[in-house]
Amino acid sequence: MNRVNVTCINLHWNKIGYWATLGFAFFIPISTAGVNICIGFVMLAWLLGGDFREKILLFWEHPFAKWIGLWIALSLLGVLYTVADQTAVLGRLRDTSRFIYIPFLMFYLLGPRKMSAVAWAFSIAMIVTLLLAYLKVYGGFPIGIKYTAAAV
């Protein structure tokens, strides 16, 4: 029976997770759908990449991750004791749930080169957004036609 090299598979998933993290940073100012697809790939790669002990230790040892965990725990605890209506509670949970992605992304941002690449991806996306806005306003480029009130 053939044995599959688990380390090789883990490296592939880690590469997929890193590239999905770059895509996530790029799509933040451009596309909500792109962000959702990329975060799905990040979470899938995180789960299938193995090395759970290293990933969990990174989360528990990182000072920023501790504050995120505390924020999420306090938000969930606050939901139990609130007098707010269900709509406000669900809105609060939706806002807090965005912090859950940070530990998944954090694993793929280890090292200054990776963090720099993500910063560059976000910066390039901001420039693309600026160019598209100029094309729309000054060039008549048909972006966001269905939004007539507040869209640029």
Side-chain angles (χ1 to χ4, degrees), residues 37-65:
I37 290 169
C38 288
I39 200 66
F41 277 116
V42 166
M43 293 177 73
L44 183 69
W46 194 90
L47 290 171
L48 296 178
D51 298 330
F52 292 113
R53 174 174 246 177
E54 177 185 342
K55 292 173 183 176
I56 292 171
L57 283 175
L58 171 69
F59 180 75
W60 286 114
E61 292 175 359
H62 199 281
F64 186 65

Side-chain angles (χ1 to χ4, degrees), residues 78-142:
V79 166
L80 296 175
Y81 290 105
T82 188
V83 294
D85 62 341
Q86 184 178 6
T87 306
V89 169
L90 290 176
R92 181 68 185 159
L93 286 176
R94 186 174 47 250
D95 291 343
T96 303
S97 70
R98 294 182 181 124
F99 286 106
I100 293 174
Y101 300 134
I102 293 174
F104 293 99
L105 294 167
M106 198 168 53
F107 179 75
Y108 298 109
L109 296 176
L110 296 176
R113 291 187 71 202
K114 291 181 178 181
M115 289 176 58
S116 176
V118 168
W120 273 103
F122 180 77
S123 300
I124 290 169
M126 290 301 291
I127 292 169
V128 168
T129 303
L130 178 68
L131 292 174
L132 289 174
Y134 278 127
L135 281 174
K136 179 182 179 178
V137 172
Y138 298 113
F141 203 68

